[in-house]
Amino acid sequence: MLSTASTISTMDHSCQDGGDTEASTPLHPQQAPSCWLLYSRPILAIGVGALLFGSGTALSLLYFTQTASVPYLLGPLLLSVGLMFLVTGLVWIPVLKQSQSQPWEGTAGGAPATLMGN
């Protein structure tokens, strides 16, 4: 019984989950994530925003020209939410580019030294 316990405790823990898979290996700190992983969320926000903005514009035009029976606030609501997503996605991309070119170096307390008044 003692030999089994020592064998299990000395076993390599990286092999216990069924092999070396991409999900089980940690990323190296020096390795930058791929462009798709970095920009997928802003691109998705831009796409959803453009879709909502376009449908809000179309529904607003249908309401104000009284061509179809469209609910009162549906067009302006989709237009404003779509514009919010669109602008958020468009601003997010330069922020990501800047954070990749200049990594943020905080102090030990977690706040930048320029904001601490030093």
Side-chain angles (χ1 to χ4, degrees):
M1 185 72 159
L2 184 61
S3 65
T4 308
S6 65
T7 307
I8 291 174
S9 66
T10 59
M11 206 164 64
D12 187 20
H13 294 290
S14 65
C15 298
Q16 287 181 356
D17 60 352
D20 190 23
T21 62
E22 186 176 315
S24 66
T25 57
L27 290 176
H28 299 292
Q30 294 84 12
Q31 182 181 5
S34 69
C35 280
W36 173 249
L37 287 176
L38 190 64
Y39 295 116
S40 63
R41 286 186 285 175
I43 289 172
L44 183 67
I46 291 171
V48 167
L51 184 68
L52 288 174
F53 185 77
S55 61
T57 303
L59 287 175
S60 294
L61 286 174
L62 287 174
Y63 174 76
F64 288 120
T65 58
Q66 297 177 354
T67 308
S69 176
V70 179
Y72 172 63
L73 284 177
L74 187 61
L77 177 73
L78 289 177
L79 201 140
S80 62
V81 170
L83 187 62
M84 180 185 66
F85 271 93
L86 188 65
V87 168
T88 301
L90 288 174
V91 169
W92 199 348
I93 291 177
V95 169
L96 285 176
K97 284 183 181 179
Q98 184 180 12
S99 70
Q100 288 298 313
S101 65
Q102 300 173 356
W104 184 72
E105 296 180 11
T107 60
T114 58
L115 293 177
M116 297 296 288
N118 292 338

